[in-house]
Each structure stands twice: as C-alpha cells, then as structure tokens.
Amino acid sequence: MSQNGHPHPERVKFIYNAQFPAATAVVLNYLLNNPHFTGRQGRQQGMDAMMAFYRPLAEEFHSELSVSEIQDMARHCVERLAKQIDDLCDRYHIANPVISYSVAPTPLSSTARLETILEELVVAVRGGGVTSPKSPAPAQMDIEQGVAMDGDELGDLGDILNN
C-alpha cells in the first residue's frame, strides 16, 4: 500500500522500448517525430487513444466509481473511438465497420479478451514491465532509448492510477 492508504503507488512510470521494423516502433516514431505536432503532443495523443479504449475497464477494475458513472464514461469513450474510426475511414476511403458491429452483438469471447488485456496492462504498470514468452523483458532498460512519460503526459490515466 502507498502512504495514502491506496493499494497502488503514488506515481506510475511507463517506459516502452520498440525497435524497427516493429509496428510499435513505427507508431511511436510517428507520435514523437511528426512535423505536425511536438513529441509531447504526440505522447499525449497516444495516451488519449489508449485512454479512449481502456479507461472504463480500468475504472471498473479500480472500483471507486458507480456502475452508472462507468457506463457514462464508457459511452463517452465509445464516442471518441467512433470518431477516430470515422476519421480513418474517411482518410483511407474504406467502409466503416462500426455500422455492421452495431447490428450484431459483440461476442463474449471479445469481452473476455479485453478483460485479459486490461489485467496484463495493470500487471505491467504495477510490476514495471511486460514479460511474456514471445517477448522476454531485457535485463536492463536503457531509458535513453525508451519513451519516458511523467504524470503530465499521462492525462486522465495518471489521475486514475495516482488516486
């Protein structure tokens, strides 16, 4: 437990190393080195995208909000994600799959998979890194090669995990 009695640390540090040609490295490079915005803005945009998907799940796991508050948050996040989907579909002239998803219910296996991903994310954040058979963690992390983010760049995620 932390000093304030909460079961999580006061601050969460998120460092991720990615190497080309991995898709993660391509995305991080785009966010950090895009000429249309600063690296700080790129990190914030990356966090915003992650928050739009994981925030309701994280809040449910955190268990300090009511069901209706989490539902309102989830509704807001779905709206943000739908806008991102619309923007991608418009930019790349592809059909919007959200319309077909709204007709057919989401299978339970997808929900279970999301919960598993969330649990892995929480373990990684609390434990300081992700370890899996496919990508063993390096013995040492070189912060100069990673993306270091402080609480300011975490936005709402920092608030969730710091409260």
PDB file of all heavy atoms in Angstrom, residues 75-106:
ATOM      1  N   ARG A  75     -19.618   5.298 -22.489  1.00  0.00           N
ATOM      2  CA  ARG A  75     -20.355   5.915 -23.596  1.00  0.00           C
ATOM      3  C   ARG A  75     -19.510   7.018 -24.239  1.00  0.00           C
ATOM      4  O   ARG A  75     -19.388   7.097 -25.461  1.00  0.00           O
ATOM      5  CB  ARG A  75     -21.682   6.473 -23.072  1.00  0.00           C
ATOM      6  CG  ARG A  75     -22.674   6.861 -24.142  1.00  0.00           C
ATOM      7  CD  ARG A  75     -24.037   7.219 -23.542  1.00  0.00           C
ATOM      8  NE  ARG A  75     -24.661   6.071 -22.889  1.00  0.00           N
ATOM      9  CZ  ARG A  75     -24.808   5.923 -21.558  1.00  0.00           C
ATOM     10  NH1 ARG A  75     -24.408   6.855 -20.738  1.00  0.00           N
ATOM     11  NH2 ARG A  75     -25.383   4.851 -21.070  1.00  0.00           N
ATOM     12  N   HIS A  76     -18.899   7.850 -23.400  1.00  0.00           N
ATOM     13  CA  HIS A  76     -18.043   8.928 -23.893  1.00  0.00           C
ATOM     14  C   HIS A  76     -16.842   8.354 -24.661  1.00  0.00           C
ATOM     15  O   HIS A  76     -16.479   8.847 -25.737  1.00  0.00           O
ATOM     16  CB  HIS A  76     -17.579   9.799 -22.722  1.00  0.00           C
ATOM     17  CG  HIS A  76     -16.581  10.839 -23.097  1.00  0.00           C
ATOM     18  ND1 HIS A  76     -16.911  11.964 -23.823  1.00  0.00           N
ATOM     19  CD2 HIS A  76     -15.245  10.917 -22.860  1.00  0.00           C
ATOM     20  CE1 HIS A  76     -15.812  12.691 -24.012  1.00  0.00           C
ATOM     21  NE2 HIS A  76     -14.801  12.079 -23.445  1.00  0.00           N
ATOM     22  N   CYS A  77     -16.243   7.306 -24.118  1.00  0.00           N
ATOM     23  CA  CYS A  77     -15.085   6.691 -24.769  1.00  0.00           C
ATOM     24  C   CYS A  77     -15.477   6.072 -26.110  1.00  0.00           C
ATOM     25  O   CYS A  77     -14.735   6.189 -27.091  1.00  0.00           O
ATOM     26  CB  CYS A  77     -14.460   5.637 -23.852  1.00  0.00           C
ATOM     27  SG  CYS A  77     -13.572   6.362 -22.447  1.00  0.00           S
ATOM     28  N   VAL A  78     -16.637   5.430 -26.170  1.00  0.00           N
ATOM     29  CA  VAL A  78     -17.100   4.847 -27.430  1.00  0.00           C
ATOM     30  C   VAL A  78     -17.291   5.944 -28.473  1.00  0.00           C
ATOM     31  O   VAL A  78     -16.940   5.775 -29.646  1.00  0.00           O
ATOM     32  CB  VAL A  78     -18.394   4.027 -27.215  1.00  0.00           C
ATOM     33  CG1 VAL A  78     -19.072   3.701 -28.532  1.00  0.00           C
ATOM     34  CG2 VAL A  78     -18.082   2.754 -26.435  1.00  0.00           C
ATOM     35  N   GLU A  79     -17.824   7.090 -28.053  1.00  0.00           N
ATOM     36  CA  GLU A  79     -17.987   8.211 -28.982  1.00  0.00           C
ATOM     37  C   GLU A  79     -16.637   8.664 -29.526  1.00  0.00           C
ATOM     38  O   GLU A  79     -16.490   8.941 -30.717  1.00  0.00           O
ATOM     39  CB  GLU A  79     -18.711   9.369 -28.302  1.00  0.00           C
ATOM     40  CG  GLU A  79     -20.176   9.095 -28.020  1.00  0.00           C
ATOM     41  CD  GLU A  79     -20.823  10.128 -27.099  1.00  0.00           C
ATOM     42  OE1 GLU A  79     -20.160  11.124 -26.724  1.00  0.00           O
ATOM     43  OE2 GLU A  79     -21.992   9.928 -26.742  1.00  0.00           O
ATOM     44  N   ARG A  80     -15.623   8.745 -28.645  1.00  0.00           N
ATOM     45  CA  ARG A  80     -14.280   9.147 -29.078  1.00  0.00           C
ATOM     46  C   ARG A  80     -13.694   8.123 -30.042  1.00  0.00           C
ATOM     47  O   ARG A  80     -13.095   8.473 -31.067  1.00  0.00           O
ATOM     48  CB  ARG A  80     -13.361   9.314 -27.871  1.00  0.00           C
ATOM     49  CG  ARG A  80     -13.695  10.560 -27.060  1.00  0.00           C
ATOM     50  CD  ARG A  80     -12.950  10.628 -25.747  1.00  0.00           C
ATOM     51  NE  ARG A  80     -11.507  10.628 -25.930  1.00  0.00           N
ATOM     52  CZ  ARG A  80     -10.649  10.447 -24.933  1.00  0.00           C
ATOM     53  NH1 ARG A  80     -11.080  10.274 -23.703  1.00  0.00           N
ATOM     54  NH2 ARG A  80      -9.364  10.459 -25.159  1.00  0.00           N
ATOM     55  N   LEU A  81     -13.860   6.842 -29.721  1.00  0.00           N
ATOM     56  CA  LEU A  81     -13.341   5.791 -30.596  1.00  0.00           C
ATOM     57  C   LEU A  81     -14.073   5.791 -31.939  1.00  0.00           C
ATOM     58  O   LEU A  81     -13.444   5.625 -32.992  1.00  0.00           O
ATOM     59  CB  LEU A  81     -13.472   4.425 -29.918  1.00  0.00           C
ATOM     60  CG  LEU A  81     -12.535   4.189 -28.738  1.00  0.00           C
ATOM     61  CD1 LEU A  81     -12.965   2.959 -27.954  1.00  0.00           C
ATOM     62  CD2 LEU A  81     -11.098   4.068 -29.195  1.00  0.00           C
ATOM     63  N   ALA A  82     -15.394   5.991 -31.923  1.00  0.00           N
ATOM     64  CA  ALA A  82     -16.173   6.031 -33.160  1.00  0.00           C
ATOM     65  C   ALA A  82     -15.695   7.177 -34.047  1.00  0.00           C
ATOM     66  O   ALA A  82     -15.599   7.030 -35.273  1.00  0.00           O
ATOM     67  CB  ALA A  82     -17.666   6.159 -32.855  1.00  0.00           C
ATOM     68  N   LYS A  83     -15.370   8.326 -33.436  1.00  0.00           N
ATOM     69  CA  LYS A  83     -14.863   9.457 -34.218  1.00  0.00           C
ATOM     70  C   LYS A  83     -13.515   9.101 -34.839  1.00  0.00           C
ATOM     71  O   LYS A  83     -13.259   9.416 -36.009  1.00  0.00           O
ATOM     72  CB  LYS A  83     -14.733  10.701 -33.358  1.00  0.00           C
ATOM     73  CG  LYS A  83     -14.098  11.848 -34.149  1.00  0.00           C
ATOM     74  CD  LYS A  83     -14.363  13.180 -33.615  1.00  0.00           C
ATOM     75  CE  LYS A  83     -13.790  14.310 -34.414  1.00  0.00           C
ATOM     76  NZ  LYS A  83     -13.111  14.063 -35.651  1.00  0.00           N
ATOM     77  N   GLN A  84     -12.656   8.436 -34.071  1.00  0.00           N
ATOM     78  CA  GLN A  84     -11.361   8.027 -34.618  1.00  0.00           C
ATOM     79  C   GLN A  84     -11.553   7.049 -35.779  1.00  0.00           C
ATOM     80  O   GLN A  84     -10.852   7.137 -36.791  1.00  0.00           O
ATOM     81  CB  GLN A  84     -10.493   7.407 -33.525  1.00  0.00           C
ATOM     82  CG  GLN A  84     -10.009   8.424 -32.496  1.00  0.00           C
ATOM     83  CD  GLN A  84      -9.278   7.770 -31.342  1.00  0.00           C
ATOM     84  OE1 GLN A  84      -9.569   6.663 -30.931  1.00  0.00           O
ATOM     85  NE2 GLN A  84      -8.305   8.505 -30.796  1.00  0.00           N
ATOM     86  N   ILE A  85     -12.519   6.141 -35.645  1.00  0.00           N
ATOM     87  CA  ILE A  85     -12.808   5.188 -36.725  1.00  0.00           C
ATOM     88  C   ILE A  85     -13.318   5.937 -37.947  1.00  0.00           C
ATOM     89  O   ILE A  85     -12.886   5.674 -39.078  1.00  0.00           O
ATOM     90  CB  ILE A  85     -13.816   4.117 -36.250  1.00  0.00           C
ATOM     91  CG1 ILE A  85     -13.141   3.205 -35.234  1.00  0.00           C
ATOM     92  CG2 ILE A  85     -14.358   3.319 -37.435  1.00  0.00           C
ATOM     93  CD1 ILE A  85     -14.093   2.279 -34.494  1.00  0.00           C
ATOM     94  N   ASP A  86     -14.241   6.878 -37.730  1.00  0.00           N
ATOM     95  CA  ASP A  86     -14.756   7.688 -38.844  1.00  0.00           C
ATOM     96  C   ASP A  86     -13.632   8.420 -39.565  1.00  0.00           C
ATOM     97  O   ASP A  86     -13.577   8.456 -40.793  1.00  0.00           O
ATOM     98  CB  ASP A  86     -15.787   8.717 -38.348  1.00  0.00           C
ATOM     99  CG  ASP A  86     -17.126   8.103 -38.006  1.00  0.00           C
ATOM    100  OD1 ASP A  86     -17.416   6.975 -38.469  1.00  0.00           O
ATOM    101  OD2 ASP A  86     -17.889   8.761 -37.263  1.00  0.00           O
ATOM    102  N   ASP A  87     -12.733   9.027 -38.780  1.00  0.00           N
ATOM    103  CA  ASP A  87     -11.616   9.772 -39.377  1.00  0.00           C
ATOM    104  C   ASP A  87     -10.738   8.867 -40.233  1.00  0.00           C
ATOM    105  O   ASP A  87     -10.337   9.246 -41.348  1.00  0.00           O
ATOM    106  CB  ASP A  87     -10.768  10.434 -38.287  1.00  0.00           C
ATOM    107  CG  ASP A  87     -11.478  11.576 -37.581  1.00  0.00           C
ATOM    108  OD1 ASP A  87     -12.540  12.030 -38.077  1.00  0.00           O
ATOM    109  OD2 ASP A  87     -10.991  12.008 -36.510  1.00  0.00           O
ATOM    110  N   LEU A  88     -10.416   7.657 -39.731  1.00  0.00           N
ATOM    111  CA  LEU A  88      -9.590   6.726 -40.504  1.00  0.00           C
ATOM    112  C   LEU A  88     -10.318   6.264 -41.773  1.00  0.00           C
ATOM    113  O   LEU A  88      -9.715   6.178 -42.841  1.00  0.00           O
ATOM    114  CB  LEU A  88      -9.205   5.507 -39.653  1.00  0.00           C
ATOM    115  CG  LEU A  88      -8.122   5.728 -38.601  1.00  0.00           C
ATOM    116  CD1 LEU A  88      -7.965   4.485 -37.740  1.00  0.00           C
ATOM    117  CD2 LEU A  88      -6.797   6.110 -39.241  1.00  0.00           C
ATOM    118  N   CYS A  89     -11.609   5.956 -41.626  1.00  0.00           N
ATOM    119  CA  CYS A  89     -12.387   5.506 -42.795  1.00  0.00           C
ATOM    120  C   CYS A  89     -12.441   6.595 -43.855  1.00  0.00           C
ATOM    121  O   CYS A  89     -12.279   6.307 -45.051  1.00  0.00           O
ATOM    122  CB  CYS A  89     -13.800   5.095 -42.367  1.00  0.00           C
ATOM    123  SG  CYS A  89     -13.825   3.578 -41.386  1.00  0.00           S
ATOM    124  N   ASP A  90     -12.662   7.840 -43.440  1.00  0.00           N
ATOM    125  CA  ASP A  90     -12.695   8.957 -44.389  1.00  0.00           C
ATOM    126  C   ASP A  90     -11.336   9.148 -45.059  1.00  0.00           C
ATOM    127  O   ASP A  90     -11.243   9.308 -46.270  1.00  0.00           O
ATOM    128  CB  ASP A  90     -13.116  10.257 -43.694  1.00  0.00           C
ATOM    129  CG  ASP A  90     -14.581  10.267 -43.305  1.00  0.00           C
ATOM    130  OD1 ASP A  90     -15.352   9.413 -43.805  1.00  0.00           O
ATOM    131  OD2 ASP A  90     -14.959  11.141 -42.492  1.00  0.00           O
ATOM    132  N   ARG A  91     -10.280   9.132 -44.256  1.00  0.00           N
ATOM    133  CA  ARG A  91      -8.941   9.389 -44.796  1.00  0.00           C
ATOM    134  C   ARG A  91      -8.521   8.335 -45.812  1.00  0.00           C
ATOM    135  O   ARG A  91      -7.904   8.636 -46.823  1.00  0.00           O
ATOM    136  CB  ARG A  91      -7.923   9.464 -43.660  1.00  0.00           C
ATOM    137  CG  ARG A  91      -6.513   9.724 -44.150  1.00  0.00           C
ATOM    138  CD  ARG A  91      -5.525   9.857 -43.008  1.00  0.00           C
ATOM    139  NE  ARG A  91      -4.216  10.135 -43.536  1.00  0.00           N
ATOM    140  CZ  ARG A  91      -3.539  11.244 -43.306  1.00  0.00           C
ATOM    141  NH1 ARG A  91      -4.055  12.187 -42.565  1.00  0.00           N
ATOM    142  NH2 ARG A  91      -2.338  11.413 -43.814  1.00  0.00           N
ATOM    143  N   TYR A  92      -8.829   7.072 -45.516  1.00  0.00           N
ATOM    144  CA  TYR A  92      -8.349   5.983 -46.372  1.00  0.00           C
ATOM    145  C   TYR A  92      -9.447   5.394 -47.265  1.00  0.00           C
ATOM    146  O   TYR A  92      -9.233   4.364 -47.900  1.00  0.00           O
ATOM    147  CB  TYR A  92      -7.683   4.899 -45.510  1.00  0.00           C
ATOM    148  CG  TYR A  92      -6.461   5.468 -44.816  1.00  0.00           C
ATOM    149  CD1 TYR A  92      -6.490   5.774 -43.460  1.00  0.00           C
ATOM    150  CD2 TYR A  92      -5.305   5.760 -45.538  1.00  0.00           C
ATOM    151  CE1 TYR A  92      -5.385   6.332 -42.836  1.00  0.00           C
ATOM    152  CE2 TYR A  92      -4.201   6.321 -44.920  1.00  0.00           C
ATOM    153  CZ  TYR A  92      -4.240   6.604 -43.566  1.00  0.00           C
ATOM    154  OH  TYR A  92      -3.153   7.163 -42.961  1.00  0.00           O
ATOM    155  N   HIS A  93     -10.597   6.074 -47.309  1.00  0.00           N
ATOM    156  CA  HIS A  93     -11.693   5.695 -48.208  1.00  0.00           C
ATOM    157  C   HIS A  93     -12.072   4.216 -48.068  1.00  0.00           C
ATOM    158  O   HIS A  93     -12.076   3.459 -49.039  1.00  0.00           O
ATOM    159  CB  HIS A  93     -11.330   6.020 -49.669  1.00  0.00           C
ATOM    160  CG  HIS A  93     -10.853   7.427 -49.840  1.00  0.00           C
ATOM    161  ND1 HIS A  93     -11.682   8.518 -49.724  1.00  0.00           N
ATOM    162  CD2 HIS A  93      -9.605   7.919 -50.087  1.00  0.00           C
ATOM    163  CE1 HIS A  93     -10.980   9.619 -49.902  1.00  0.00           C
ATOM    164  NE2 HIS A  93      -9.723   9.302 -50.120  1.00  0.00           N
ATOM    165  N   ILE A  94     -12.349   3.830 -46.823  1.00  0.00           N
ATOM    166  CA  ILE A  94     -12.767   2.447 -46.560  1.00  0.00           C
ATOM    167  C   ILE A  94     -14.132   2.461 -45.879  1.00  0.00           C
ATOM    168  O   ILE A  94     -14.538   3.471 -45.293  1.00  0.00           O
ATOM    169  CB  ILE A  94     -11.735   1.687 -45.689  1.00  0.00           C
ATOM    170  CG1 ILE A  94     -11.478   2.411 -44.361  1.00  0.00           C
ATOM    171  CG2 ILE A  94     -10.423   1.501 -46.456  1.00  0.00           C
ATOM    172  CD1 ILE A  94     -10.550   1.674 -43.411  1.00  0.00           C
ATOM    173  N   ALA A  95     -14.828   1.337 -45.956  1.00  0.00           N
ATOM    174  CA  ALA A  95     -16.150   1.211 -45.335  1.00  0.00           C
ATOM    175  C   ALA A  95     -16.005   1.254 -43.823  1.00  0.00           C
ATOM    176  O   ALA A  95     -15.034   0.733 -43.264  1.00  0.00           O
ATOM    177  CB  ALA A  95     -16.805  -0.094 -45.766  1.00  0.00           C
ATOM    178  N   ASN A  96     -16.964   1.873 -43.178  1.00  0.00           N
ATOM    179  CA  ASN A  96     -16.957   1.970 -41.713  1.00  0.00           C
ATOM    180  C   ASN A  96     -17.567   0.700 -41.127  1.00  0.00           C
ATOM    181  O   ASN A  96     -18.755   0.455 -41.289  1.00  0.00           O
ATOM    182  CB  ASN A  96     -17.745   3.205 -41.280  1.00  0.00           C
ATOM    183  CG  ASN A  96     -17.592   3.485 -39.809  1.00  0.00           C
ATOM    184  OD1 ASN A  96     -17.389   2.585 -39.002  1.00  0.00           O
ATOM    185  ND2 ASN A  96     -17.698   4.751 -39.452  1.00  0.00           N
ATOM    186  N   PRO A  97     -16.766  -0.105 -40.420  1.00  0.00           N
ATOM    187  CA  PRO A  97     -17.280  -1.362 -39.878  1.00  0.00           C
ATOM    188  C   PRO A  97     -18.173  -1.178 -38.653  1.00  0.00           C
ATOM    189  O   PRO A  97     -18.853  -2.104 -38.257  1.00  0.00           O
ATOM    190  CB  PRO A  97     -16.006  -2.131 -39.510  1.00  0.00           C
ATOM    191  CG  PRO A  97     -15.031  -1.052 -39.166  1.00  0.00           C
ATOM    192  CD  PRO A  97     -15.351   0.088 -40.101  1.00  0.00           C
ATOM    193  N   VAL A  98     -18.175  -0.002 -38.054  1.00  0.00           N
ATOM    194  CA  VAL A  98     -18.965   0.226 -36.843  1.00  0.00           C
ATOM    195  C   VAL A  98     -20.443  -0.009 -37.115  1.00  0.00           C
ATOM    196  O   VAL A  98     -21.165  -0.527 -36.274  1.00  0.00           O
ATOM    197  CB  VAL A  98     -18.722   1.644 -36.266  1.00  0.00           C
ATOM    198  CG1 VAL A  98     -19.657   1.938 -35.114  1.00  0.00           C
ATOM    199  CG2 VAL A  98     -17.275   1.784 -35.841  1.00  0.00           C
ATOM    200  N   ILE A  99     -20.900   0.314 -38.304  1.00  0.00           N
ATOM    201  CA  ILE A  99     -22.309   0.125 -38.652  1.00  0.00           C
ATOM    202  C   ILE A  99     -22.670  -1.358 -38.577  1.00  0.00           C
ATOM    203  O   ILE A  99     -23.682  -1.725 -37.992  1.00  0.00           O
ATOM    204  CB  ILE A  99     -22.601   0.700 -40.058  1.00  0.00           C
ATOM    205  CG1 ILE A  99     -22.364   2.210 -40.027  1.00  0.00           C
ATOM    206  CG2 ILE A  99     -24.014   0.373 -40.500  1.00  0.00           C
ATOM    207  CD1 ILE A  99     -22.289   2.856 -41.386  1.00  0.00           C
ATOM    208  N   SER A 100     -21.822  -2.236 -39.118  1.00  0.00           N
ATOM    209  CA  SER A 100     -22.124  -3.674 -39.059  1.00  0.00           C
ATOM    210  C   SER A 100     -22.011  -4.207 -37.637  1.00  0.00           C
ATOM    211  O   SER A 100     -22.725  -5.118 -37.264  1.00  0.00           O
ATOM    212  CB  SER A 100     -21.223  -4.456 -40.006  1.00  0.00           C
ATOM    213  OG  SER A 100     -19.878  -4.322 -39.617  1.00  0.00           O
ATOM    214  N   TYR A 101     -21.107  -3.635 -36.822  1.00  0.00           N
ATOM    215  CA  TYR A 101     -20.983  -4.080 -35.436  1.00  0.00           C
ATOM    216  C   TYR A 101     -22.206  -3.697 -34.621  1.00  0.00           C
ATOM    217  O   TYR A 101     -22.588  -4.390 -33.697  1.00  0.00           O
ATOM    218  CB  TYR A 101     -19.738  -3.492 -34.769  1.00  0.00           C
ATOM    219  CG  TYR A 101     -18.432  -4.036 -35.288  1.00  0.00           C
ATOM    220  CD1 TYR A 101     -17.330  -3.209 -35.414  1.00  0.00           C
ATOM    221  CD2 TYR A 101     -18.298  -5.370 -35.642  1.00  0.00           C
ATOM    222  CE1 TYR A 101     -16.129  -3.705 -35.887  1.00  0.00           C
ATOM    223  CE2 TYR A 101     -17.099  -5.864 -36.112  1.00  0.00           C
ATOM    224  CZ  TYR A 101     -16.022  -5.034 -36.227  1.00  0.00           C
ATOM    225  OH  TYR A 101     -14.840  -5.526 -36.691  1.00  0.00           O
ATOM    226  N   SER A 102     -22.825  -2.575 -34.960  1.00  0.00           N
ATOM    227  CA  SER A 102     -23.975  -2.143 -34.179  1.00  0.00           C
ATOM    228  C   SER A 102     -25.182  -3.045 -34.413  1.00  0.00           C
ATOM    229  O   SER A 102     -26.068  -3.117 -33.590  1.00  0.00           O
ATOM    230  CB  SER A 102     -24.329  -0.684 -34.501  1.00  0.00           C
ATOM    231  OG  SER A 102     -24.741  -0.576 -35.845  1.00  0.00           O
ATOM    232  N   VAL A 103     -25.211  -3.776 -35.542  1.00  0.00           N
ATOM    233  CA  VAL A 103     -26.310  -4.688 -35.827  1.00  0.00           C
ATOM    234  C   VAL A 103     -26.105  -6.008 -35.093  1.00  0.00           C
ATOM    235  O   VAL A 103     -27.030  -6.549 -34.518  1.00  0.00           O
ATOM    236  CB  VAL A 103     -26.417  -4.932 -37.359  1.00  0.00           C
ATOM    237  CG1 VAL A 103     -27.462  -5.968 -37.672  1.00  0.00           C
ATOM    238  CG2 VAL A 103     -26.698  -3.625 -38.068  1.00  0.00           C
ATOM    239  N   ALA A 104     -24.876  -6.523 -35.093  1.00  0.00           N
ATOM    240  CA  ALA A 104     -24.589  -7.803 -34.442  1.00  0.00           C
ATOM    241  C   ALA A 104     -23.969  -7.561 -33.069  1.00  0.00           C
ATOM    242  O   ALA A 104     -23.091  -6.722 -32.923  1.00  0.00           O
ATOM    243  CB  ALA A 104     -23.623  -8.604 -35.305  1.00  0.00           C
ATOM    244  N   PRO A 105     -24.428  -8.297 -32.036  1.00  0.00           N
ATOM    245  CA  PRO A 105     -23.851  -8.110 -30.708  1.00  0.00           C
ATOM    246  C   PRO A 105     -22.398  -8.586 -30.660  1.00  0.00           C
ATOM    247  O   PRO A 105     -22.003  -9.477 -31.400  1.00  0.00           O
ATOM    248  CB  PRO A 105     -24.739  -8.978 -29.802  1.00  0.00           C
ATOM    249  CG  PRO A 105     -25.364  -9.986 -30.714  1.00  0.00           C
ATOM    250  CD  PRO A 105     -25.465  -9.320 -32.069  1.00  0.00           C
ATOM    251  N   THR A 106     -21.639  -7.983 -29.762  1.00  0.00           N
ATOM    252  CA  THR A 106     -20.243  -8.362 -29.575  1.00  0.00           C
ATOM    253  C   THR A 106     -20.188  -9.721 -28.882  1.00  0.00           C
ATOM    254  O   THR A 106     -20.848  -9.917 -27.871  1.00  0.00           O
ATOM    255  CB  THR A 106     -19.528  -7.313 -28.689  1.00  0.00           C
ATOM    256  OG1 THR A 106     -19.689  -6.053 -29.295  1.00  0.00           O
ATOM    257  CG2 THR A 106     -18.063  -7.641 -28.535  1.00  0.00           C
TER     258      THR A 106
END
